[in-house]
Amino acid sequence: MMICRIETSVLVIGGGATGVGVARDLAMRGIDTVLVERDTLASGTTSRHTGLIHSGARYVLRDPPAARECYQENQILRRIASRHVVDDGAFFVLLPEDDPEYVPRWLEGCRTAGIPVEEVPVGEVLRAEPLVNRRILRAFFTPDTTGDPFGLIEANAVSARQHGARILLHHEVTGLVEEQGRVVGAWVRDLPGREKVLIRADMVVNAAGVWSGRIAATVGLRIPLLPSKGVMLAFNRRALNRPVARCHPPSDADAMIPSHTVLLSGSTDGDICDPDDLSINPDHVHIVLRESEKLLPGISTARILRVWAGIRPLYMGQQTFQDTRHVTRSHALLDHEGLDGKPGLITIVGGKWTTYRLMAQEVADLVCRKLGVSQECRTHLEALPGCEIRQRFWPGLPLQRVEQSAAMGDLVCECELVTAADVLERLGQEPGVTLHRLRQLHRLGMGSCQGGMCAYRAAGLLHTRRRPAVHETNGQLANFLQERWKGMWPVLQGQQLRQARLNEVLYMGLLGADHSADV
């Protein structure tokens, strides 16, 4: 068997927010960098959260260092990633069942952490968010906001490539390579080509999130990670204009977050599981619905589009906890040379999506010290591609674009306003683009019909332009529909049950999609 060999200065393992952030930072400092990801970018935990960009207010009492980090990075992301960040702030509200004694301690924590919080009249909140529980007692405006994780990661990847980084998708690390006690690279399997690839590097950065322990174990190292699963729901109405969270100690499903055309609620915590276990615990679905009802009365009867789970890579260190919410949300940078006598390997674990850039900076700083590179970090100063001219992101932007271009009759996805021009333009930029990739970058299939009306149209465009074997297109369509189904079936009821049945009749009864992958 032929073995492909790649030489580089730094190998980064993991294509989530942190890994791509590390690749961008290193490349901007002029360091030859290769990133490998076993799937597509943002296919792990990065793609499975609510998109909330924390101000740190949630953590000021339990985890002050994480709170300060969140606020710092919240402000940086508003500057460098304006195209992918909503700049509206959030409300924290005190409900009748919440402890009023928590508020002064929380306010003092915010003040100490340097997080600006302003108390606002309840009437003002109810005018801005008329569906919020009208029994709220106090309300506060905070700098929490939301962002688009897929768009942000894509912009980081574009920047990394512009500065010379190589990003290899669908390349799975099968084991680290060790010589005389030093990690010098990794064996990688090219999944599409089924080839073995040996990547040799001066330094290896393990940024594989919840899978970091498995990577480290290939050279006999143990990383004390706690994979904690959280469950989230998406409702088909954007019932809020900005995030609303409860002003009490962090607990299950105590925040609701608008995201593009939908409303997200979650998440739960404490369900410890295998990193690959994304199954849905029905009890957690009930918890989210019950707690969501307290913030938005009546929301539990609304149309639920889907449910999904994400797994947090919580770093335990030497501590033990009865409640996973007491585990720090800050990150840990592990230099295995000093910790384990294993030079050549660095692991970054923990943290939050909000702080991915800071985590990447700390990794890059350590790598530079080890390689003798004196270049300083610039990722907090230079805007991401497409964000050079600061523009306010707002939910009506896709509709405005469609109306101005008179493309209403050219829609592939009516729910998320994806046009044929969007699909064809993406094909021009990425000839191998998939339906899954279109979902990430354009939200194709993420609206009310969950792919029912748009998946076959997009598949037709991709097939017409690229002309692959028929079974390849059919297989891709079947996989896309199966992934949509996974998120729908645990919460099928009411209108979404009718939608699922319509999708079934359309794809299986009319198009024979259950057999088409064999054609």
Side-chain angles (χ1 to χ4, degrees):
M1 175 185 293
M2 293 289 293
I3 297 177
C4 176
R5 299 177 185 270
I6 297 175
E7 301 278 342
T8 186
S9 295
V10 181
L11 169 63
V12 180
I13 302 171
T18 305
V20 178
V22 170
R24 181 193 184 217
D25 196 326
L26 291 172
M28 288 176 67
R29 302 191 202 203
I31 297 174
D32 185 31
T33 303
V34 172
L35 180 147
V36 292
E37 163 58 44
R38 70 175 184 176
D39 203 325
T40 59
L41 294 179
S43 59
T45 303
T46 297
S47 67
R48 295 180 173 274
H49 62 85
T50 59
L52 186 64
I53 300 177
H54 288 272
S55 71
R58 181 177 176 84
Y59 306 115
V60 291
L61 296 183
R62 286 189 176 175
D63 201 344
R68 288 188 287 270
E69 290 171 356
C70 284
Y71 180 64
Q72 169 190 316
E73 294 304 306
N74 175 296
Q75 298 300 294
I76 290 174
L77 287 177
R78 290 170 186 261
R79 292 199 309 269
I80 70 169
S82 59
R83 182 178 176 184
H84 308 290
V85 175
V86 180
D87 200 10
D88 279 346
F91 290 125
F92 274 63
V93 298
L94 182 73
L95 297 181
E97 54 264 52
D98 295 331
D99 180 7
E101 298 302 317
Y102 175 80
V103 174
R105 294 186 289 113
W106 176 71
L107 288 173
E108 177 59 24
C110 290
R111 187 195 64 78
T112 302
I115 301 169
V117 174
E118 175 190 0
E119 184 160 11
V120 294
V122 170
E124 181 179 322
V125 176
L126 295 178
R127 283 190 294 272
E129 306 292 350
L131 298 180
V132 168
N133 191 331
R134 305 192 72 81
R135 297 171 60 236
I136 59 175
L137 302 176
R138 299 180 70 179
F140 304 89
F141 186 77
T142 72
D144 295 77
T145 189
T146 59
D148 177 6
F150 298 118
L152 189 61
I153 298 308
E154 178 65 15
N156 274 270
V158 169
S159 177
R161 291 188 180 103
Q162 287 175 347
H163 288 89
R166 289 170 282 176
I167 297 178
L168 307 179
L169 303 181
H170 305 290
H171 280 65
E172 180 180 27
V173 172
T174 57
L176 297 175
V177 177
E178 185 179 7
E179 292 179 359
Q180 299 179 340
R182 180 182 182 87
V183 175
V184 296
W187 283 105
V188 178
R189 181 166 60 240
D190 176 357
L191 298 178
R194 299 181 181 180
E195 295 178 333
K196 292 182 68 176
V197 182
L198 174 61
I199 302 179
R200 297 187 64 88
D202 299 319
M203 291 295 303
V204 176
V205 175
N206 179 10
V210 290
W211 298 277
S212 296
R214 293 182 180 177
I215 299 295
T218 64
V219 287
L221 300 179
R222 178 182 176 274
I223 298 176
L225 283 179
L226 193 66
S228 174
K229 185 191 298 183
V231 167
M232 288 146 279
L233 299 181
F235 298 92
N236 79 318
R237 297 178 58 197
R238 186 183 167 92
L240 295 172
N241 295 305
R242 54 176 57 80
V244 176
R246 291 176 65 177
C247 191
H248 67 183
S251 63
D252 286 333
D254 57 359
M256 304 197 74
I257 300 102
S259 177
H260 296 272
T261 62
V262 301
L263 180 69
L264 309 181
S265 182
S267 69
T268 57
D269 204 343
D271 195 355
I272 309 306
C273 62
D274 181 90
D276 291 309
D277 178 14
L278 296 175
S279 61
I280 303 300
N281 184 335
D283 291 339
H284 284 221
V285 175
H286 295 312
I287 290 172
V288 175
L289 288 174
R290 182 193 69 209
E291 297 303 313
S292 300
E293 187 73 15
K294 296 175 182 178
L295 276 172
L296 264 69
I299 193 66
S300 61
T301 62
R303 183 175 177 181
I304 306 172
L305 294 183
R306 63 188 294 106
V307 58
W308 72 97
I311 302 177
R312 306 173 186 86
L314 301 180
Y315 179 67
M316 293 289 290
Q318 303 301 316
Q319 305 177 67
T320 58
F321 297 90
Q322 297 297 319
D323 183 350
T324 56
R325 291 196 181 276
H326 290 280
V327 181
T328 180
R329 265 44 177 178
S330 191
H331 56 276
L333 178 57
L334 310 179
D335 179 357
H336 293 289
E337 180 175 13
L339 289 173
D340 310 294
K342 193 80 69 176
L345 179 65
I346 294 169
T347 296
I348 180 73
V349 290
K352 301 192 68 62
W353 179 57
T354 302
T355 59
Y356 86 90
R357 192 215 60 84
L358 175 63
M359 296 164 65
Q361 177 180 338
E362 293 182 8
V363 170
D365 285 345
L366 179 56
V367 169
C368 285
R369 288 197 297 272
K370 290 182 174 293
L371 296 182
V373 176
S374 59
Q375 293 293 326
E376 297 291 328
C377 176
R378 305 198 315 274
T379 59
H380 60 302
L381 302 174
E382 296 190 15
L384 289 163
C387 304
E388 294 83 0
I389 300 175
R390 189 168 182 179
Q391 54 184 336
R392 182 175 180 271
F393 176 88
W394 61 290
L397 192 61
L399 177 60
Q400 182 188 66
R401 180 174 57 87
V402 168
E403 289 179 335
Q404 289 177 347
S405 63
M408 192 63 74
D410 198 27
L411 290 175
V412 175
C413 176
E414 287 98 339
C415 301
E416 298 296 329
L417 300 176
V418 182
T419 67
D422 292 329
V423 175
L424 295 175
E425 180 182 9
R426 181 60 56 180
L427 268 170
Q429 297 169 351
E430 299 179 42
V433 72
T434 63
L435 291 175
H436 172 70
R437 184 87 168 128
L438 291 174
R439 180 188 67 81
Q440 285 188 327
L441 298 177
H442 297 287
R443 294 184 58 82
L444 181 93
M446 294 180 73
S448 295
C449 76
Q450 289 292 290
M453 298 297 121
C454 58
Y456 71 89
R457 297 171 181 166
L461 282 172
L462 265 59
H463 187 81
T464 300
R465 179 57 62 94
R466 288 165 36 198
R467 292 295 180 185
V470 172
H471 70 85
E472 292 182 19
T473 303
N474 288 341
Q476 193 179 138
L477 178 59
N479 289 337
F480 183 88
L481 294 171
Q482 181 61 28
E483 287 301 312
R484 296 292 88 195
W485 170 249
K486 285 180 183 178
M488 285 194 291
W489 77 261
V491 288
L492 281 181
Q493 61 183 20
Q495 292 287 20
Q496 198 62 13
L497 176 57
R498 296 183 179 92
Q499 179 67 60
R501 177 57 179 150
L502 174 61
N503 291 359
E504 181 183 30
V505 170
L506 175 63
Y507 282 96
M508 295 186 180
L510 180 61
L511 299 179
D514 50 338
H515 304 295
S516 62
D518 301 324
V519 174

